[in-house]
């Protein structure tokens, strides 16, 4: 009854409506609107420093006059207020405030600032990012050394930073910097910054110690013979893995910053005296010109620096293997390794280079050549087989022997779809299985592959959706695409296959031939860092003995001609040398007679 | 000036070889046999020798004007007005030659494979590829031509080897055909079959000097002569001359009759790939020459705006012809004479004019001045 009265009352009486907003809503502000109108690159939004809040209306900052500058210096020295200058202040409290402001402390909680006294006399503090430095070194080596009573025993004035660097700090890599911007970057990279009272320089101590994956077996480029090591996500580790293979003083590593906001870095590696300087310069130029907020690994860099972004074929070769990276460097190519992904990129690259694997050189030459030919057969199957099947069944029945034609006709009799629809159903199903198998966890992924291939194929045939012959065609296509060693090329071929399916369905062999001609034109017009993509075939250059077939290792005397390396010669007449040498030992002077 | 890039000797050679040899896929063998009977295979060699003689004039002209193409040379030799007129004629001729080749190709395709497909669909699709090739430029076309040339030669050799069991030596007798005199006369007049060698004159700027032109031109003519003569001999050995002249595409018929056991029969669709790809490349070369000549005549620095309009003209020309009879009996016969005048006689006249008017190009001109 009470409920009824309440309902009736609420029906008759007016009530203020409740706030029915659904909660948080992100609306565009006027500031954002104006920010988006500009043509320039996006700039990182930094919160204003405390003193700047008083001057909100000012959009541009006029240079300080001499009295103003003196005033600000006075304020700095008297009240520990940062002046806004990028130079490190001699007063420790100013540096402390500056670092706190730059890292938004106390809002930002993973920056550690530890104040202490060096040798129980000199005020100092250390700043680092929690989790990025090696705390063992910090606790057991660094702090005991600098906080030791005798740490400043020999100090007779002058720069304390120099004294500590020369006599106290027990760390292998120490540098000094007088700019806050540089110091902030070093702290973000995992170094430790030591600020000292009355010192205009900060000591940067490199004791990086963040968690990283160990060197493990490669996941995408497994081989039976040869090295089993793969790259990791850490740039320094990856460079070391390459340097361990090429122990040559001419191997140059240039570290370059990329990403305006995430401040990542990448290494450009080349063998000086072998790699063409023009290619090295072009690689550096393209990386330097990348203007973006965020770079995560080599895959993003690849998309910024490739020659033809609208082409399907990859123009940069990506590998997970240090041994393969080393072989590229020895061939005169330039390698780019970025922080964050376990891959290295090699440029320039040709179409035929995408079919090579590190196993080719690990096995004897007839076997290596055979593997290459198998891969080319795989390419043929992966690209053309479904298209040819459609063309033959729709347009060119006459080329099939009567018995085969009869069996195809019988198998297709119960299928209600046109051939092209039938092929598309199977191809898309196969692509779904493959994509699903990659995304789900490994154990389930394998099962999914088997289930998909066997059950779906069998069920589709039993249900009369597709003909048995088509299942074989699609299976061959799938196997062919798996045989392509380069993942990006494999993806490109998967996409091209659909072009050939439509071309075959539209105009039979005529359509497929035209598509081949078109793709040939496109491929022949492409370049990878100035090197034609189809060289040394089109245009013809001096053929190396390791292009399509892998001929004996001792015949491969020169580096690839198309890369225009400074040093063309790779090796001498190895086989001839030991054949021509006089016999020694038992069959020497006496036995030989 | 348009930027054509640089091409090598072998690429230039295959540009010409593909453009010339492509005609064996269509009605050319039947037309030749109809004209001279069983002596067609060596008539091709006579025509080739004649073309080599004519090419000497072209080479001497290009040598006299290094780093210049024929279009520019005409302006120098004949003056601006006449030079422009001849250059424009060249562009028009290439449009017609390309159109006739495409129409012949599509008609043969309709006869053998796509009897119910509309002509415009077949012509439009091949023209789309040709346009893409022209957009990508001479370097690309030359690279693809070299690859297509090798594929074509390998395919033709394979075809001849597979057809070898069908060869009957009796078919080439009497060796004299309709008489040696007629063979010689037809050989001299049909030298236009090799007139595509003039392509080298149009793209001379992309080659590295007269020695490269000489090497590419003469070797291309020799190789094309061998291919044409060899194919004619092959089809004559298989088909008697009286039935050969009735065939629309003797080479396609030859591929049809190849049989190895019960499984390897009807190889013609495989042969279709070589046929279509080389014809596409050949038409791309001719189309590019039309575009290039036009741009050079009007001193245009970019070929791209001209490609679509010229493609529309070629397409219109292709679909305008009534049927294959008109193409074979009128257009192809007309193309026997006009290329000789335009592509052989005109350069020879330019050479003579240059000698009389003491016109030279490059360093020679500087030396004289």
């Amino acid at each position: 009854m009470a409920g009824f009265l309440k309902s009736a009352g609420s029906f008759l009486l007016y009530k203020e409506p409740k706030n029915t907003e659904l909660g948080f809503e992100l609306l565009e502000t006027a500031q954002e609107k104006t920010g988006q109108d500009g043509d320039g690159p996006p700039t990182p939004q930094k919160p204003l420093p405390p003193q700047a809040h008083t001057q909100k209306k000012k959009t541009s900052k006029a240079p300080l006059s001499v009295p103003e500058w003196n005033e600000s210096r006075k304020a700095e020295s008297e009240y520990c207020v940062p002046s806004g200058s990028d130079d490190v202040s001699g007063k420790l409290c100013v540096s402390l405030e500056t670092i706190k402001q730059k890292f938004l402390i106390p809002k930002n909680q993973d920056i550690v600032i530890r104040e202490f006294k060096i040798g129980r006399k000199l005020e100092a503090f250390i700043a680092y990012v929690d989790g990025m430095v090696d705390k063992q070194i910090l606790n057991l080596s660094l702090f005991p050394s600098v906080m030791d009573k005798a740490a400043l025993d020999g100090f007779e004035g002058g720069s304390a930073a120099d004294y500590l660097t020369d006599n106290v700090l027990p760390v292998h890599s120490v540098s000094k910097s007088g700019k806050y911007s540089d110091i902030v970057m070093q702290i973000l990279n995992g170094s430790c910054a030591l600020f000292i009272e009355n010192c205009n320089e900060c000591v940067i101590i490199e004791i990086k110690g963040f968690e990283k994956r160990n060197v493990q077996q490669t996941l995408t480029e497994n081989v039976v013979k040869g090295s089993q090591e793969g790259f990791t996500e850490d740039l320094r580790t990856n460079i070391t893995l390459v340097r361990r293979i090429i122990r040559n003083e001419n191997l140059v590593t240039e570290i370059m910053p990329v990403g305006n906001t995430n401040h990542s870095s990448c290494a450009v590696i080349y063998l000086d005296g072998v790699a063409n300087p023009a290619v090295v310069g072009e690689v550096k130029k393209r990386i330097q010109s990348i203007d973006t907020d965020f770079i995560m690994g080599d895959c993003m860099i690849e998309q910024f620096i490739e020659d033809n972004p609208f082409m399907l074929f990859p123009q940069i070769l990506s590998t997970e293997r240090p041994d393969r990276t080393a072989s590229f460097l020895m061939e005169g190519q330039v390698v780019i390794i970025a922080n964050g992904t376990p891959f290295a990129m090699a440029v320039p690259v040709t179409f035929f280079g995408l079919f090579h694997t590190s196993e080719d050189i690990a096995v004897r030459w007839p076997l290596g050549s055979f593997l290459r030919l198998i891969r080319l057969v795989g390419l043929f199957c992966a690209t053309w087989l479904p298209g040819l099947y459609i063309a033959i069944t729709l347009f060119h029945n006459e080329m099939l022997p009567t018995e085969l034609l009869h069996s195809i006709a019988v198998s297709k009799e119960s299928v209600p779809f046109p051939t092209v629809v039938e092929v598309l159903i199977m191809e898309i199903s196969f692509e779904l299985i493959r994509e699903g198998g990659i995304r789900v966890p490994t154990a389930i992924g394998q099962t999914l592959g088997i289930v998909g291939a066997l059950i779906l194929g069998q069920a589709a045939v039993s249900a009369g959706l597709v003909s048995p012959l088509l299942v074989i065609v699609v299976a061959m296509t799938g196997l062919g695409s798996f045989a392509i060693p380069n993942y990006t090329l494999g993806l490109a071929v998967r996409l091209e296959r659909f072009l050939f399916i439509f071309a075959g369905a539209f105009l039979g062999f005529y359509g497929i031939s035209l598509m081949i001609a078109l793709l040939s034109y496109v491929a022949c017009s492409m370049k990878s860092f100035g090197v034609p993509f189809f060289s040394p075939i089109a245009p013809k250059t001096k053929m190396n003995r390791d292009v399509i077939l892998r001929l004996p290792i001792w015949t491969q005397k020169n580096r690839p001609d198309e890369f225009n390396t400074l040093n063309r010669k790779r090796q001498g007449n190895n086989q001839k040398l030991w054949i021509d040498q006089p016999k020694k030992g038992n069959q020497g002077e006496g036995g030989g007679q | 000036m348009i930027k054509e890039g640089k091409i090598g000797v072998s690429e230039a050679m295959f540009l010409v070889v593909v453009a010339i040899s492509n005609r064996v896929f269509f009605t050319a063998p039947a037309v030749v046999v109809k004209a001279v009977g069983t002596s067609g295979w060596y008539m091709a060699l006579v025509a080739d020798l004649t073309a080599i003689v004519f090419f000497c004039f072209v080479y001497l002209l290009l040598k006299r004007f290094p780093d210049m193409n024929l279009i520019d040379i005409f302006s120098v030799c004949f003056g601006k007005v006449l030079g422009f007129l001849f250059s424009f004629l060249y562009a028009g001729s290439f449009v017609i030659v390309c159109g006739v080749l495409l129409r012949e190709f599509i008609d043969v395709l309709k006869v053998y494979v796509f009897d119910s497909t509309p002509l415009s669909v077949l012509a439009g699709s091949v023209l789309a590829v040709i346009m893409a090739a022209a957009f990508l430029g001479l370097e690309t076309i030359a690279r693809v031509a070299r690859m297509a040339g090798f594929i074509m030669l390998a395919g033709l050799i394979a075809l001849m080897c597979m057809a070898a069991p069908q060869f009957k030596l009796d078919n080439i007798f009497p060796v004299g055909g309709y008489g040696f005199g007629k063979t010689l006369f037809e050989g001299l007049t049909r030298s236009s079959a090799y007139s595509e060698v003039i392509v080298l004159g149009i793209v001379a700027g992309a080659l590295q000097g007269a020695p490269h032109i000489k090497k590419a031109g003469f070797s291309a003519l020799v190789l094309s002569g061998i291919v044409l003569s060899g194919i004619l001999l092959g089809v004559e050995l298989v088909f008697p001359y009286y039935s050969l002249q009735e065939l629309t595409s003797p080479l396609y018929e030859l591929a049809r009759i190849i049989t190895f056991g019960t499984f390897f029969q009807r190889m013609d669709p495989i042969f279709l790939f070589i046929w279509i790809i080389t014809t596409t490349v050949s038409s791309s070369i001719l189309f590019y020459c039309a575009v290039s000549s036009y741009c050079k005549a009007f001193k245009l620095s970019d070929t791209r705006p001209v490609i679509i309009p010229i493609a529309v003209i070629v397409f219109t020309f292709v679909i305008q012809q009534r049927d294959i009879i008109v193409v074979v009996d009128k257009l192809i016969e007309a193309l026997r004479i006009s290329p000789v005048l335009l592509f052989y006689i005109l350069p020879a006249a330019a050479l003579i004019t240059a000698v009389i008017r003491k016109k030279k190009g490059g360093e020679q001109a500087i030396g004289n001045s």
Side-chain angles (χ1 to χ4, degrees):
Chain A
M1 189 64 187
F4 173 74
L5 289 173
K6 197 178 174 183
S7 303
S10 64
F11 183 71
L12 295 169
L13 297 172
Y14 173 76
K15 273 184 185 172
E16 187 76 22
K18 284 179 185 172
N19 186 7
T20 52
E21 272 185 30
L22 294 171
F24 173 73
E25 202 175 354
L26 185 64
L27 298 171
E28 198 174 24
T29 61
Q31 192 185 358
E32 282 171 329
K33 273 181 187 170
T34 50
Q36 283 177 2
D37 290 342
D39 292 333
T43 49
Q45 294 284 318
K46 279 211 161 185
L48 293 166
Q51 78 275 22
H53 287 292
T54 56
Q55 303 170 347
K56 276 181 192 170
K57 300 288 177 188
K58 268 194 170 177
T59 50
S60 60
K61 196 175 176 183
L64 294 174
S65 63
V66 175
E68 280 173 339
W69 186 80
N70 287 334
E71 230 9 74
S72 72
R73 294 298 296 177
K74 194 179 166 189
E76 183 183 301
S77 57
E78 285 179 9
Y79 313 112
C80 291
V81 178
S83 65
S85 164
D86 196 35
D87 296 329
V88 172
S89 168
K91 277 188 78 70
L92 191 67
C93 61
V94 175
S95 295
L96 186 64
E97 277 306 311
T98 309
I99 291 296
K100 279 182 178 177
Q101 279 180 12
K102 287 204 181 278
F103 284 104
L104 308 178
I105 295 169
K107 202 160 59 176
N108 194 350
Q109 292 175 1
D110 69 343
I111 306 296
V112 178
I113 293 179
R114 169 77 161 87
E115 293 176 67
F116 61 96
K117 284 185 178 172
I118 300 169
R120 301 188 186 176
K121 291 174 194 164
L122 196 57
E123 295 276 346
F125 75 87
I126 267 179
Y128 59 88
V129 181
D130 195 14
M132 288 191 78
V133 297
D134 190 334
K135 285 185 181 166
Q136 292 281 338
I137 298 175
L138 205 63
N139 293 332
L140 302 177
S141 178
L142 191 68
F143 279 128
S145 309
V146 292
M147 292 172 81
D148 187 61
K149 193 179 174 183
L152 291 174
D153 276 1
F155 182 52
E156 296 169 348
S159 171
D162 287 342
Y163 176 79
L164 289 173
T165 307
D166 295 343
N167 304 296
V168 180
L169 293 172
V171 182
H172 72 284
S173 177
V174 177
S175 60
K176 284 176 287 182
S177 177
K179 299 277 180 196
Y180 284 122
S181 53
D182 182 36
I183 294 161
V184 167
M185 283 311 304
Q186 295 289 347
I187 293 172
L188 290 171
N189 282 336
S191 293
C192 189
L194 171 63
F195 288 88
I196 307 158
E197 181 68 54
N198 297 326
C199 211
N200 287 325
E201 282 182 314
C202 166
V203 182
I204 309 288
I205 308 160
E206 198 188 317
I207 47 169
K208 289 187 180 90
F210 41 79
E211 292 299 320
K212 58 188 178 192
R213 192 163 63 96
N214 290 330
V215 175
Q216 288 168 337
Q217 205 170 352
T218 58
L219 293 172
T220 56
E221 289 177 86
N222 289 328
V223 293
V224 178
K225 287 187 85 176
S227 165
Q228 304 292 332
E229 272 181 350
F231 283 127
T232 71
E233 284 75 11
D234 181 47
L235 177 62
R236 182 50 59 193
T237 310
N238 294 344
I239 294 170
T240 312
L241 287 171
V242 176
R243 275 215 176 265
R244 230 173 52 188
I245 299 169
I246 304 176
R247 298 170 191 195
N248 190 303
E249 68 277 18
N250 291 329
L251 184 70
V252 180
T253 305
E254 292 187 39
I255 307 284
M256 301 178 76
V258 282
N260 296 341
T261 302
N262 77 324
H263 299 297
S264 189
S265 54
C266 72
V268 176
I269 312 175
Y270 56 93
L271 201 57
D272 196 37
V274 175
N276 193 315
V279 177
V280 177
E282 184 64 24
V283 171
K284 282 158 55 178
K285 190 181 91 182
R286 291 190 192 183
I287 291 174
Q288 275 164 355
S289 61
I290 296 174
D291 181 13
T292 182
D293 267 6
F294 180 62
I295 287 285
M296 184 62 216
D298 65 317
C299 314
M300 289 178 79
I301 295 178
E302 176 184 357
Q303 293 172 60
F304 280 110
I305 63 170
E306 63 188 352
D307 290 68
N308 305 288
F310 295 101
M311 301 292 177
L312 287 175
F313 296 111
Q315 296 129 59
I316 292 174
L317 199 154
S318 188
T319 180
E320 202 186 349
R321 302 179 61 85
D323 59 335
R324 205 154 172 235
T325 307
S327 75
F328 292 142
L329 289 166
M330 295 306 296
E331 295 284 59
Q333 287 163 279
V334 179
V335 165
I336 305 154
I337 305 180
N339 226 340
T341 45
F343 291 97
M345 297 184 293
V347 292
V349 67
T350 63
F351 177 76
F352 303 100
L354 298 172
F355 282 91
H356 296 185
T357 68
S358 54
E359 199 164 33
D360 297 350
I361 206 77
V363 295
R364 295 178 61 250
W365 75 268
L367 313 177
S369 299
F370 174 70
L371 292 177
R372 294 255 176 96
L373 290 176
I374 287 291
R375 279 178 221 136
L376 284 175
V377 172
L379 176 76
F380 169 80
C381 291
T383 317
W384 292 322
L385 210 54
L388 289 176
Y389 172 78
I390 292 179
I392 289 170
T393 50
L394 291 182
F395 292 90
H396 310 285
N397 293 325
E398 72 277 6
M399 75 173 289
L400 292 174
T402 316
E403 295 82 8
L404 185 60
L405 187 63
H406 179 255
S407 69
I408 291 173
V410 168
S411 69
K412 281 174 66 67
E413 208 172 31
S414 59
V415 179
F417 305 115
T419 310
V420 62
V421 176
E422 194 189 351
V423 171
L424 285 175
I425 288 173
M426 278 309 285
E427 282 295 337
I428 292 170
S429 306
F430 187 79
E431 292 297 328
L432 282 173
I433 291 168
R434 188 142 73 167
E435 198 57 25
I438 293 170
R439 302 287 160 241
V440 296
T442 318
I444 308 171
Q446 286 174 355
T447 318
L448 185 74
I450 297 162
V451 169
L454 292 177
I455 298 178
L456 191 72
Q458 186 60 39
V461 171
S462 305
L465 293 176
V466 295
S467 59
L469 188 67
L470 182 63
V471 177
I472 298 169
V473 169
V474 173
M476 286 281 286
T477 309
L479 287 174
S481 66
F482 288 135
I484 297 168
N486 187 280
Y487 182 70
T488 324
L489 181 67
L491 282 178
V493 165
R494 277 160 70 179
L495 202 58
E496 278 168 15
R497 178 163 70 237
F498 285 97
L499 297 179
F500 281 102
I501 287 173
F502 290 118
F506 183 48
L507 284 169
F509 280 1
Y510 181 60
I512 291 175
S513 306
L514 291 181
M515 190 57 77
I516 291 172
L518 183 63
L519 284 177
S520 305
Y521 280 128
V522 169
C524 284
S525 70
M526 279 168 60
K527 280 183 179 172
S528 167
F529 283 80
V531 173
F533 189 60
F534 248 72
S535 55
I537 304 286
K540 187 187 173 298
T541 56
K542 204 173 175 186
M543 198 85 147
N544 188 22
R545 302 286 173 94
D546 185 20
V547 179
I548 297 171
L549 296 179
R550 212 280 279 165
L551 294 177
I553 195 163
W554 41 269
T555 60
Q556 297 171 22
K557 290 178 185 164
N558 296 316
R559 294 194 167 84
D561 189 43
E562 60 272 17
F563 295 152
N564 283 331
T565 52
L566 296 183
N567 181 359
R568 297 283 170 101
K569 193 165 181 176
R570 183 154 52 186
Q571 60 184 4
N573 295 323
N574 288 308
Q575 202 77 344
K576 198 166 164 50
L577 275 177
W578 59 257
I579 289 171
D580 291 349
Q581 267 178 4
K583 290 177 182 173
K584 287 179 183 173
N586 293 338
Q587 294 180 337
E589 292 168 11
Q593 299 299 315
Chain B
M1 282 310 274
I2 54 175
K3 287 179 184 170
E4 293 185 315
K6 289 283 168 204
I7 58 173
V9 174
S10 67
E11 287 165 347
M13 185 186 87
F14 275 105
L15 271 179
V16 178
V17 171
V18 170
I20 294 173
S21 308
N22 190 59
R23 65 181 79 247
V24 293
F25 296 125
F26 309 118
T27 53
V31 171
V32 168
V33 170
K34 198 174 183 178
V36 293
T38 50
S39 63
W41 63 275
Y42 64 86
M43 188 222 80
L45 292 176
V46 175
D48 190 29
L49 284 173
T50 315
I52 287 173
V53 172
F54 278 122
F55 182 70
C56 289
F57 293 110
V58 179
Y59 163 63
L60 288 173
L61 182 67
L62 291 168
K63 193 181 168 190
R64 195 175 173 87
F65 295 92
D67 302 326
M68 286 175 89
N69 55 62
L70 275 182
I71 307 296
D72 296 336
I73 294 170
F74 288 157
S75 291
V76 175
C77 294
F78 298 121
K80 281 189 179 173
V81 177
L82 268 181
F84 171 79
L85 186 71
F86 291 142
S87 307
F88 195 72
L89 269 176
Y90 260 55
S93 305
F94 279 117
V95 166
I96 291 168
V97 173
C98 179
V100 169
L101 172 69
L102 280 179
R103 179 60 201 241
E104 195 182 5
F105 166 58
I106 288 160
D107 274 330
V108 174
L109 211 57
K110 272 182 81 68
V111 167
Y112 286 102
V113 193
F114 299 102
D115 51 348
S116 53
T117 310
L119 189 108
S120 55
V121 172
L122 296 173
S125 47
V126 71
L127 258 172
V129 178
I130 291 169
M131 277 163 61
F135 266 107
L136 293 169
L138 176 69
E139 269 186 355
T140 304
I141 295 173
R143 285 171 193 169
V144 176
R146 186 171 171 275
M147 288 200 295
F150 277 114
I151 293 168
M152 183 187 76
L153 290 180
L156 290 175
I157 290 168
L159 189 71
M160 286 297 127
C161 292
M162 285 194 284
Q166 319 283 339
F167 286 170
K168 285 178 194 147
L169 203 59
D170 297 348
N171 286 344
I172 57 164
F173 290 102
V175 176
Y178 297 159
F180 286 112
K182 185 164 178 60
T183 304
L184 194 66
F185 174 75
E186 289 290 336
L188 290 171
T189 54
R190 286 183 187 273
S191 62
S192 60
Y194 298 88
S195 63
E196 278 84 354
V197 73
I198 207 70
V199 165
L200 292 179
I202 305 296
V203 300
L207 277 148
Q208 286 155 37
H212 279 212
I213 294 170
K214 180 182 163 188
K215 228 187 264 184
F218 287 112
S219 50
L221 283 172
V222 170
L223 187 58
S224 306
I226 293 168
V227 170
L228 291 191
S229 175
I231 296 299
L232 276 167
L233 181 63
V235 291
E236 281 178 24
L237 279 167
V238 174
F239 302 108
Y241 75 95
Y242 44 84
S243 56
L244 180 58
Q245 51 192 284
E246 301 297 326
L247 300 174
T248 313
S249 172
L251 216 54
Y252 194 81
E253 294 287 349
L254 188 70
R256 266 185 171 180
I257 59 169
I258 292 169
T259 306
F260 285 102
T262 52
F263 192 82
F264 291 102
Q265 295 178 3
R266 292 298 303 268
M267 310 297 281
D268 42 313
I270 295 172
F271 171 68
L272 209 59
F273 278 107
I274 303 167
W275 182 23
I276 296 166
I277 291 172
T278 46
T279 308
T280 309
V281 174
S282 178
S283 332
S284 304
I285 296 164
L286 296 171
F287 184 80
Y288 179 82
C289 285
V291 170
S292 176
S293 306
Y294 186 89
C295 290
K296 283 166 185 165
F298 282 94
K299 311 276 184 216
L300 300 176
S301 58
D302 190 2
T303 56
R304 284 175 297 180
V306 180
I307 290 170
I308 294 174
I310 293 186
V312 171
I313 294 169
V314 173
F315 182 77
T316 314
F317 181 84
V318 168
I319 60 169
Q320 221 180 17
Q321 310 311 319
R322 204 182 67 220
D323 52 31
I324 193 168
I325 310 293
V326 175
V327 175
V328 175
D329 286 351
K330 291 186 179 167
L331 291 174
I332 294 177
E333 277 303 307
L335 285 182
R336 274 179 58 200
I337 307 300
S338 57
V340 174
L341 290 173
L342 263 179
F343 297 152
Y344 294 150
I345 305 295
L346 201 58
L351 180 67
I352 294 163
T353 314
V355 172
I356 293 167
R357 295 179 66 191
K358 293 179 181 169
K359 296 274 184 188
K360 282 182 181 179
E363 287 174 6
Q364 301 169 55
I366 295 164
N368 283 355
S369 64

